[in-house]
Amino acid sequence: MTDFGIKEALNTLGLKDINEGTSTGLDNFSSGTIIESYSPVDGKLIGKVKTTSKEDYQKVMTAATAAFSTWRTMPAPQRGEIVRQFGQKLRAKKEALGKLVSYEMGKSYQEGLGEVQEMIDICDFAVGLSRQLHGLTMHSERPGHRMYEQYHSLGVVGVISAFNFPVAVWAWNTALAWVCGDVCVWKPSEKTPMCGVACQNIAAEVFAENNLPEGICNLINGDYTVGEMMTTDVRIPLISATGSTRMGKIVAKEVAGRLGKTLLELGGNNAIIVTPDADIKMTVIGAVFGAVGTAGQRCTSTRRLIIHESIYNEVKDAVVKAYKQLRIGNPLNENNHVGPIIDQQAVKMYEDALEKVVEEGGKIIVEGGVLEGQGYESGCYVKPAIAEAENSFKIVQHETFAPILYLLKYSGDVENAIGLQNGVAQGLSSAIMTNNLREAERFLSVAGSDCGIANVNIGTSGAEIGGAFGGEKETGGGRESGSDAWKVYMRRQTNTINYTTDLPLAQGIKFDL
């Protein structure tokens, strides 16, 4: 079987082929246990990294805090120039990094390239932002006084990212944090450590070429115990964590206990409402990509399709027909639509979910199952499945990180569909398919979707970096990427200047001496 250029990609990224005898990343730290990264694509070993011990962590934090004292004093536009150079490096290595993302995580090569493009896009956004970190000037109630607000660098930002977007989410946080004058400590998922090493290598090149401290960009590896070092560390004023709601609750409690700040982007249970005025062709495209893209392992993946009873059978038949055309296989082969899910634990969750929906009274209309045989040796390839269900089912209320789509039927007007859409604990992404202006506006109104993202005539999956990304309820309330998300990476300060020879007090208080 061809390796689709993986060896070449690893070399380009400074990660020598493990099968040639090189243990990638083992020299990063002096101690720690070894993590082996196996590809869900073919089950082969990609490389090894060492976990970060407590002693190693202290070295990293010492370097990071020292680097911050230098980095924060550099003018923001100059920091933006460094981010611009990082974006240029990503452009040069886009194909290689995209292949590594595909090979280590399992998403299609085109999605891997798209993820790296998101990194490039956020760098471009951050470069422009570096000249627009605006404060606010307001009138003082006291004569001869000027009052304004400004934003200052926050410090060391801790980033905990998930396996499903092993590079883009880190870049969303880091590019903005860098232009804001912060330094970063990143713990990538232990399921995709090689992607983390590759990004660290690229960033290190940029900082070395500009004679800047290495501690501006820091990588630590390991499981939740390494994350605990970050969440309990008072030297890290902000923890940005992406992952499950269960993980987010633990992080939020720990960081709040020391009065730190969190940016949480957690689970999603996303739905598309399909009204009688929907364009069926557009609906099928949005629903199928939303449900099977990244093998259902996006936080914005479409989990529920809420269809009006008058068109239910028509939509169901169209989606089922589209599923029959899906090609499942090596994601580096661009002829395939669906690659593997991340590991055997994920396979077990997928199988359990299909069993539970039937136990609760649901009906499987597109059979699932684990694929076996040539090309599927890793045991991580599963069939995208569809089940008819009720919104009240416990399994439907739960986010299963796998390609399972639940079809739900609604009657009456769009308010009933919105009630189903909002009737879950999560609140990340949502969509409505309709050509009815009133329905669209109702969906987007204050009494409409309760999600952080609400789309009309596009699916739930796929976000542009220009808008703030995140959700409400058990999704955590955090916002990453565009818009004014940069403010969370800075501390806000109000300043009042008296340019007179008198000292009047606020609120007209008199205090004569």
Side-chain angles (χ1 to χ4, degrees):
M1 179 185 295
T2 177
D3 76 345
F4 292 94
I6 285 298
K7 290 183 178 180
E8 181 181 355
L10 293 176
N11 286 329
T12 298
L13 298 169
L15 310 171
K16 293 183 179 180
D17 182 14
I18 192 67
N19 295 313
E20 294 177 356
T22 301
S23 297
T24 307
L26 293 184
D27 296 328
N28 287 350
F29 300 106
S30 59
S31 59
T33 58
I34 293 174
I35 297 176
E36 295 181 329
S37 178
Y38 290 90
S39 171
V41 174
D42 55 17
K44 293 182 179 179
L45 180 66
I46 305 171
K48 303 176 184 179
V49 299
K50 278 193 175 181
T51 60
T52 302
S53 68
K54 291 182 179 180
E55 294 75 18
D56 300 329
Y57 177 77
Q58 294 303 324
K59 293 176 183 177
V60 168
M61 286 303 301
T62 298
T65 53
F68 174 60
S69 63
T70 300
W71 183 242
R72 67 180 177 181
T73 61
M74 181 182 290
Q78 293 183 23
R79 297 193 296 258
E81 167 58 18
I82 301 303
V83 174
R84 186 194 68 80
Q85 293 178 31
F86 179 61
Q88 289 298 96
K89 292 278 188 184
L90 291 173
R91 283 179 170 89
K93 300 185 179 184
K94 178 179 176 179
E95 288 75 18
L97 186 54
K99 283 186 179 179
L100 176 60
V101 168
S102 177
Y103 189 58
E104 187 171 36
M105 186 269 149
K107 65 176 60 177
S108 74
Y109 177 48
Q110 287 301 317
E111 290 182 271
L113 292 175
E115 182 167 349
V116 181
Q117 186 61 49
E118 284 191 32
M119 302 174 75
I120 295 168
D121 291 344
I122 197 64
C123 286
D124 289 348
F125 180 91
V127 172
L129 181 66
S130 68
R131 295 181 182 270
Q132 300 180 72
L133 300 173
H134 300 306
L136 181 68
T137 300
M138 65 283 290
H139 291 280
S140 172
E141 67 183 50
R142 290 170 283 187
H145 285 59
R146 182 165 68 89
M147 189 162 68
Y148 66 97
E149 292 178 346
Q150 61 179 330
Y151 289 84
H152 293 301
S153 305
L154 188 61
V156 180
V157 171
V159 181
I160 300 173
S161 63
F163 74 85
N164 60 328
F165 278 84
V167 296
V169 172
W170 166 74
W172 287 359
N173 286 273
T174 301
L176 297 190
W178 280 345
V179 297
C180 289
D182 302 324
V183 301
C184 293
V185 176
W186 176 29
K187 191 199 89 64
S189 169
E190 61 270 30
K191 297 182 180 183
T192 52
M194 305 311 297
C195 285
V197 175
C199 290
Q200 179 71 14
N201 288 348
I202 296 170
E205 287 180 20
V206 176
F207 289 111
E209 290 167 1
N210 288 274
N211 297 313
L212 289 167
E214 293 183 355
I216 298 170
C217 182
N218 305 276
L219 177 72
I220 57 178
N221 280 299
D223 59 13
Y224 71 94
T225 59
V226 175
E228 287 177 347
M229 298 181 198
M230 300 169 67
T231 58
T232 59
D233 194 336
V234 296
R235 293 169 295 181
I236 303 181
L238 171 66
I239 296 288
S240 175
T242 302
S244 69
T245 296
R246 181 193 62 81
M247 177 276 292
K249 289 179 178 180
I250 295 171
V251 170
K253 181 178 180 180
E254 197 65 56
V255 178
R258 59 177 177 84
L259 299 182
K261 298 168 64 177
T262 54
L263 191 169
L264 301 176
E265 200 285 285
L266 309 174
N269 195 344
N270 317 294
I272 298 176
I273 295 172
V274 188
T275 81
D277 288 313
D279 182 312
I280 303 302
K281 181 179 179 181
M282 289 176 61
T283 297
V284 171
I285 294 171
V288 174
F289 176 73
V292 308
T294 320
Q297 296 172 116
R298 292 184 177 216
C299 51
T300 56
S301 291
T302 305
R303 311 287 178 201
R304 299 173 295 144
L305 201 58
I306 304 171
I307 310 166
H308 192 270
E309 61 182 359
S310 66
I311 57 169
Y312 181 83
N313 288 333
E314 181 183 2
V315 174
K316 178 179 73 171
D317 291 345
V319 173
V320 169
K321 181 180 178 181
Y323 266 54
K324 293 178 180 178
Q325 301 174 48
L326 294 175
R327 293 185 295 272
I328 308 168
N330 189 319
L332 291 166
N333 182 341
E334 296 183 54
N335 291 320
N336 292 323
H337 298 109
V338 184
I341 54 179
I342 188 65
D343 56 21
Q344 293 299 318
Q345 181 182 6
V347 172
K348 180 65 165 57
M349 288 190 296
Y350 160 85
E351 293 178 315
D352 288 348
L354 290 177
E355 290 181 5
K356 289 176 182 177
V357 72
V358 173
E359 290 173 0
E360 292 193 66
K363 178 183 178 182
I364 304 294
I365 59 174
V366 173
E367 293 290 336
V370 181
L371 294 169
E372 299 177 345
Q374 186 175 0
Y376 304 124
E377 290 85 357
S378 69
C380 295
Y381 291 87
V382 302
K383 299 176 185 177
I386 301 176
E388 294 181 300
E390 298 291 337
N391 205 54
S392 59
F393 289 0
K394 289 182 180 179
I395 191 60
V396 176
Q397 292 283 315
H398 175 76
E399 179 193 36
T400 301
F401 236 49
I404 301 175
L405 177 65
Y406 301 115
L407 302 190
L408 314 175
K409 186 185 295 183
Y410 82 96
S411 59
D413 58 24
V414 74
E415 278 77 6
N416 294 332
I418 293 172
L420 292 173
Q421 141 65 38
N422 294 344
V424 293
Q426 308 85 358
L428 179 53
S429 187
S430 60
I432 188 170
M433 292 293 183
T434 182
N435 289 321
N436 184 312
L437 178 62
R438 288 189 174 93
E439 288 180 334
E441 291 294 339
R442 177 70 179 79
F443 178 71
L444 299 175
S445 73
V446 67
S449 169
D450 64 2
C451 294
I453 298 169
N455 299 327
V456 176
N457 290 332
I458 63 172
T460 63
S461 188
E464 298 180 33
I465 60 90
F469 181 89
E472 301 303 321
K473 301 190 294 188
E474 288 195 357
T475 302
R479 293 297 186 275
E480 298 170 314
S481 191
S483 185
D484 65 347
W486 62 271
K487 291 180 179 179
V488 75
Y489 303 97
M490 305 195 83
R491 59 182 177 89
R492 186 172 177 174
Q493 185 180 80
T494 301
N495 307 113
T496 305
I497 300 171
N498 178 3
Y499 54 89
T500 73
T501 57
D502 298 320
L503 185 57
L505 302 178
Q507 293 87 45
I509 295 173
K510 301 295 183 182
F511 188 72
D512 296 325
L513 291 177

